[in-house]
Structures are given as C-alpha cells and as structure tokens.
Amino acid sequence: MSKPKSPTHTSDEEPQNFMRMKPDPIPFKKFLYNSSEGTVLGRTALSWTKIGIFYLVFYSVLAALVAVCMWVFFQTLDPRTPKWQLDQSLIGTNPGLGFRPLPSEDNVESTLIWYKGTEEKNYKQWTDALDKFLEDYRTPGQISGRGQNIYNCDYTQPPPPRTVCDVDIKQYGPCSLENHYNYHKSAPCIFLKLNKIYGWIPQFYNDSTKLPANMPTELKEYIGTVEAQEKNTMNTVWVSCEGENPADLENVGPIKYYPRRGFPGYYYPFENSEGYLSPLVAVHFERPVRGIIINIECKAWAHNIKHDRHERLGSVHFELLID
C-alpha cells in the first residue's frame, strides 16, 4: 500500500495562518486607563487602594523599627565620652600641632603667612583671623559652661572635678589684640595649639639629664634653667620653633614664647568638659629678615609625642614672608 501523502501548503498560506493566530494588541492608552473596565495601569481603584495601604503599613513599621534601634543605640553612648579612645580610636595617641592665623579659605593648602609693609590694610587679613580665633578666649561666657566652671589652675593646683582651667590671654605680652599682635612692627606673633585627644596624658620631659638627642640645644638649655629655678613647672609639653634649613636659621631671628615655652601639664587630660579651651603658646618672631621666605618648623616635646612632618604629628610647618 502506498503511504498517504501529507497535506501540503503553499508558502504564502503560512504567514496568513500565522497572522490569524496573533491576538489583537491592546492600545497603550487603553492600558493606562480603561474606561469600560475602570482600571488604571491594569488595576482597579480598589486594587490600588489595597496596595497603597500595604506599603503604608510596611514602611511605617520599618521606620518604627529603625527609630527604636537608633534610640537603643544612642542610649549606649555618652555625649561627652567617646566609645573608642586613644589606641582604639581613629585619631590615635599622637597629637598634632596647629598654628594660627591660617591663610584664607580660598587657599586652604597654603601655609604661607605673607603681608607687605606696616600699614594696617596690608596685615589686617591676619589680625582679623586672630581676632576671630581668640574671640572665645576673650569672652569665655560665649561657650556653654564657661564662667561657671572656670578654675585658676597652677602646677600645684590642678583643676577640681567638673571644672576647666582658665586660659588668660592677658599674659601674652606683645601678642595682644590692642597691639595688633605686633604685625604692625613686622614682628608677627603666631599662636600654637595641640590638637585635642580625649584621655591623652603627656609624658613630660621633666628631667634635664634625659632629653632626646634631636631636641634643639637652645631648648635643652632652657629646660635646664627652668629645672634649676622653677622645678615645680617642669611638667610641661615643651615647644620649639626654628628655621628648617641653615639659611632659615639665620633669617628667622630671635624668638620669644608667651606666656611660657610650652603647654602646662595641668590642662591634661582633655575630657571634653563643658567650656574647655585648649592652652595656647604665642610665638613672637622679633626680627625676621624681610623680603625672603623663611621656612619654620615648630615641635611639641613629650616622651609620647612622635614627630612626623608628612603625617602632621607633633609638629607643624609654615612659611613667613614680610615684604
């Protein structure tokens, strides 16, 4: 018997049958809004209402959970005591040294203090910056707690609990507001401060026979004199400023420090007490050579202060140029 032949189709019949099988497309406008079925984007108003209620409840519960978690978290924190301190903190245990006045915000990377002549318009930028920086020191009542918990500390009178040591800027000699910080005499004052590290206690160089080899000779001699005459003031974070290079050493001229050559130990440790102000050292450059850039490096000295110029640890660099 011969096999039945399978039905054959012409090539132009196939696309016609295929087209008959495709459903009619729904117009996009009808998908957005179908007036006959009352749907928007394929859903009825009741369906959209249910979805809206679900997400409203879901995000409300989520927000409430986050708020409760944050509340519990903040209950574990002390607003004045950091959770991570010293070696466990990002700041570490080696304080940096800062200087004022700083150049304008337009040139934040610069460390050059430059002005021309002795007329006020030439140096006003720098004295205004110092005025702003020292404002809290002149009017301590502006800071919360200041005026109520200030204590006149001394090496033999450390501050009692919940008090802060006074910083008396009247002891800064020629480096005062009334004297234009001596900028008008081409003999400017630069203010130094140690960065605050919670709980850090300096280990003082309070024995003149155990000073580091890299400490400036002039500072070693000064410490020896203090030890002989005022031994009770040896617990001090000493400060030195000098020219970085041999030419800078010659050009920087004589330097004096006010009110003393370092940061008294009774200001430490810093414990974020209300109204605390960092102690300052005013560095007076008495006769710097004019018309030349002088590179200056200042350092703070204690056993637990390491110096690293690139990391800005324990020292600070700036340039001085008086035309």
Side-chain angles (χ1 to χ4, degrees), residues 265-289:
Y266 49 77
Y267 285 98
Y268 304 97
F270 164 68
E271 295 179 332
N272 203 22
S273 300
E274 193 173 53
Y276 178 88
L277 289 173
S278 297
L280 304 174
V281 173
V283 184
H284 180 208
F285 297 91
E286 294 187 306
R287 291 189 302 276
V289 175

Short mmCIF file of all heavy atoms in Angstrom, two decimals, residues 265-289:
data_model
loop_
_atom_site.label_atom_id
_atom_site.label_comp_id
_atom_site.label_asym_id
_atom_site.label_seq_id
_atom_site.Cartn_x
_atom_site.Cartn_y
_atom_site.Cartn_z
N GLY A 265 51.10 71.14 82.10
CA GLY A 265 50.52 69.81 82.23
C GLY A 265 49.16 69.77 82.89
O GLY A 265 48.43 68.80 82.72
N TYR A 266 48.79 70.82 83.64
CA TYR A 266 47.51 70.77 84.35
C TYR A 266 46.31 70.92 83.41
O TYR A 266 45.17 70.78 83.84
CB TYR A 266 47.46 71.81 85.47
CG TYR A 266 47.87 73.22 85.10
CD1 TYR A 266 47.02 74.06 84.39
CD2 TYR A 266 49.11 73.73 85.49
CE1 TYR A 266 47.39 75.36 84.08
CE2 TYR A 266 49.50 75.01 85.17
CZ TYR A 266 48.63 75.83 84.46
OH TYR A 266 49.00 77.12 84.13
N TYR A 267 46.54 71.21 82.14
CA TYR A 267 45.43 71.24 81.18
C TYR A 267 45.06 69.85 80.67
O TYR A 267 44.09 69.71 79.92
CB TYR A 267 45.80 72.12 79.98
CG TYR A 267 45.76 73.60 80.26
CD1 TYR A 267 46.93 74.29 80.57
CD2 TYR A 267 44.57 74.31 80.24
CE1 TYR A 267 46.92 75.66 80.82
CE2 TYR A 267 44.54 75.68 80.49
CZ TYR A 267 45.71 76.34 80.79
OH TYR A 267 45.68 77.69 81.04
N TYR A 268 45.81 68.84 81.07
CA TYR A 268 45.61 67.49 80.56
C TYR A 268 45.28 66.54 81.71
O TYR A 268 45.73 66.75 82.83
CB TYR A 268 46.87 67.03 79.81
CG TYR A 268 47.25 67.98 78.70
CD1 TYR A 268 48.23 68.95 78.91
CD2 TYR A 268 46.61 67.94 77.46
CE1 TYR A 268 48.58 69.84 77.91
CE2 TYR A 268 46.96 68.82 76.45
CZ TYR A 268 47.94 69.78 76.69
OH TYR A 268 48.27 70.67 75.69
N PRO A 269 44.48 65.48 81.46
CA PRO A 269 43.96 65.09 80.14
C PRO A 269 42.73 65.88 79.73
O PRO A 269 41.99 66.40 80.59
CB PRO A 269 43.59 63.62 80.37
CG PRO A 269 43.20 63.57 81.81
CD PRO A 269 44.13 64.52 82.51
N PHE A 270 42.51 65.98 78.44
CA PHE A 270 41.29 66.57 77.90
C PHE A 270 40.17 65.54 78.05
O PHE A 270 40.28 64.41 77.59
CB PHE A 270 41.49 66.94 76.43
CG PHE A 270 40.21 67.20 75.70
CD1 PHE A 270 39.43 68.31 75.99
CD2 PHE A 270 39.78 66.33 74.70
CE1 PHE A 270 38.25 68.56 75.31
CE2 PHE A 270 38.61 66.57 74.01
CZ PHE A 270 37.84 67.68 74.32
N GLU A 271 39.08 65.95 78.71
CA GLU A 271 37.95 65.04 78.95
C GLU A 271 36.63 65.62 78.46
O GLU A 271 35.56 65.25 78.93
CB GLU A 271 37.86 64.71 80.45
CG GLU A 271 39.08 63.92 80.94
CD GLU A 271 39.03 63.60 82.42
OE1 GLU A 271 38.39 64.38 83.17
OE2 GLU A 271 39.60 62.58 82.82
N ASN A 272 36.72 66.52 77.51
CA ASN A 272 35.54 67.11 76.88
C ASN A 272 34.64 67.81 77.89
O ASN A 272 33.42 67.81 77.76
CB ASN A 272 34.76 66.04 76.11
CG ASN A 272 33.89 66.64 75.02
OD1 ASN A 272 34.12 67.75 74.54
ND2 ASN A 272 32.86 65.91 74.60
N SER A 273 35.25 68.37 78.91
CA SER A 273 34.47 69.10 79.91
C SER A 273 33.85 70.34 79.29
O SER A 273 34.42 70.97 78.40
CB SER A 273 35.36 69.51 81.09
OG SER A 273 35.94 68.37 81.70
N GLU A 274 32.68 70.68 79.79
CA GLU A 274 31.96 71.83 79.24
C GLU A 274 32.76 73.11 79.43
O GLU A 274 33.21 73.41 80.53
CB GLU A 274 30.61 71.96 79.93
CG GLU A 274 29.64 72.89 79.24
CD GLU A 274 28.26 72.85 79.87
OE1 GLU A 274 28.17 73.03 81.11
OE2 GLU A 274 27.28 72.62 79.15
N GLY A 275 32.98 73.84 78.32
CA GLY A 275 33.70 75.10 78.40
C GLY A 275 35.20 74.98 78.27
O GLY A 275 35.90 75.99 78.40
N TYR A 276 35.73 73.80 78.01
CA TYR A 276 37.18 73.61 77.91
C TYR A 276 37.74 74.37 76.71
O TYR A 276 37.19 74.33 75.61
CB TYR A 276 37.51 72.13 77.77
CG TYR A 276 38.98 71.84 77.60
CD1 TYR A 276 39.81 71.66 78.70
CD2 TYR A 276 39.56 71.73 76.32
CE1 TYR A 276 41.17 71.38 78.55
CE2 TYR A 276 40.91 71.45 76.16
CZ TYR A 276 41.70 71.28 77.28
OH TYR A 276 43.03 71.00 77.13
N LEU A 277 38.86 75.06 76.92
CA LEU A 277 39.59 75.73 75.85
C LEU A 277 41.04 75.24 75.87
O LEU A 277 41.65 75.14 76.93
CB LEU A 277 39.55 77.25 76.02
CG LEU A 277 38.21 77.93 75.76
CD1 LEU A 277 38.28 79.41 76.15
CD2 LEU A 277 37.79 77.79 74.30
N SER A 278 41.57 74.94 74.70
CA SER A 278 42.94 74.44 74.60
C SER A 278 43.93 75.52 75.01
O SER A 278 43.75 76.70 74.66
CB SER A 278 43.25 73.99 73.17
OG SER A 278 42.42 72.93 72.78
N PRO A 279 44.98 75.17 75.74
CA PRO A 279 46.03 76.16 76.05
C PRO A 279 46.76 76.58 74.79
O PRO A 279 46.83 75.83 73.81
CB PRO A 279 46.95 75.39 77.01
CG PRO A 279 46.74 73.95 76.65
CD PRO A 279 45.30 73.83 76.25
N LEU A 280 47.30 77.77 74.80
CA LEU A 280 47.98 78.35 73.64
C LEU A 280 49.38 78.78 74.01
O LEU A 280 49.66 79.12 75.16
CB LEU A 280 47.20 79.55 73.09
CG LEU A 280 45.74 79.34 72.70
CD1 LEU A 280 45.11 80.68 72.34
CD2 LEU A 280 45.61 78.35 71.57
N VAL A 281 50.24 78.78 73.00
CA VAL A 281 51.57 79.38 73.12
C VAL A 281 51.70 80.40 72.00
O VAL A 281 51.53 80.08 70.82
CB VAL A 281 52.69 78.32 73.00
CG1 VAL A 281 54.05 79.01 72.96
CG2 VAL A 281 52.63 77.34 74.16
N ALA A 282 51.96 81.66 72.37
CA ALA A 282 52.18 82.72 71.39
C ALA A 282 53.67 82.78 71.08
O ALA A 282 54.49 82.97 71.99
CB ALA A 282 51.68 84.05 71.91
N VAL A 283 54.01 82.62 69.81
CA VAL A 283 55.41 82.64 69.37
C VAL A 283 55.67 83.98 68.70
O VAL A 283 55.06 84.30 67.67
CB VAL A 283 55.70 81.48 68.40
CG1 VAL A 283 57.19 81.46 68.04
CG2 VAL A 283 55.27 80.15 68.99
N HIS A 284 56.56 84.77 69.28
CA HIS A 284 56.83 86.12 68.79
C HIS A 284 58.16 86.12 68.02
O HIS A 284 59.23 85.89 68.60
CB HIS A 284 56.90 87.10 69.96
CG HIS A 284 57.19 88.50 69.54
ND1 HIS A 284 57.84 89.41 70.36
CD2 HIS A 284 56.92 89.18 68.38
CE1 HIS A 284 57.95 90.56 69.72
NE2 HIS A 284 57.40 90.43 68.52
N PHE A 285 58.06 86.36 66.72
CA PHE A 285 59.26 86.47 65.88
C PHE A 285 59.70 87.93 65.90
O PHE A 285 59.09 88.79 65.26
CB PHE A 285 58.96 86.00 64.46
CG PHE A 285 58.58 84.54 64.39
CD1 PHE A 285 57.25 84.14 64.48
CD2 PHE A 285 59.55 83.56 64.26
CE1 PHE A 285 56.90 82.80 64.44
CE2 PHE A 285 59.22 82.22 64.20
CZ PHE A 285 57.89 81.84 64.29
N GLU A 286 60.74 88.21 66.65
CA GLU A 286 61.10 89.59 66.96
C GLU A 286 61.73 90.34 65.78
O GLU A 286 61.41 91.51 65.55
CB GLU A 286 62.07 89.62 68.14
CG GLU A 286 61.44 89.14 69.44
CD GLU A 286 62.37 89.35 70.62
OE1 GLU A 286 63.52 88.87 70.56
OE2 GLU A 286 61.94 90.01 71.59
N ARG A 287 62.62 89.70 65.04
CA ARG A 287 63.28 90.40 63.94
C ARG A 287 63.52 89.46 62.74
O ARG A 287 64.67 89.19 62.37
CB ARG A 287 64.62 91.00 64.40
CG ARG A 287 64.47 92.16 65.38
CD ARG A 287 65.81 92.85 65.63
NE ARG A 287 66.82 91.93 66.14
CZ ARG A 287 66.94 91.61 67.42
NH1 ARG A 287 66.10 92.12 68.32
NH2 ARG A 287 67.90 90.79 67.82
N PRO A 288 62.47 88.97 62.12
CA PRO A 288 62.68 88.12 60.94
C PRO A 288 63.17 88.96 59.77
O PRO A 288 62.79 90.13 59.61
CB PRO A 288 61.29 87.54 60.68
CG PRO A 288 60.35 88.55 61.25
CD PRO A 288 61.04 89.13 62.44
N VAL A 289 64.05 88.39 58.97
CA VAL A 289 64.56 89.10 57.79
C VAL A 289 63.42 89.33 56.81
O VAL A 289 62.64 88.42 56.52
CB VAL A 289 65.70 88.29 57.13
CG1 VAL A 289 66.16 88.97 55.84
CG2 VAL A 289 66.87 88.15 58.10
#
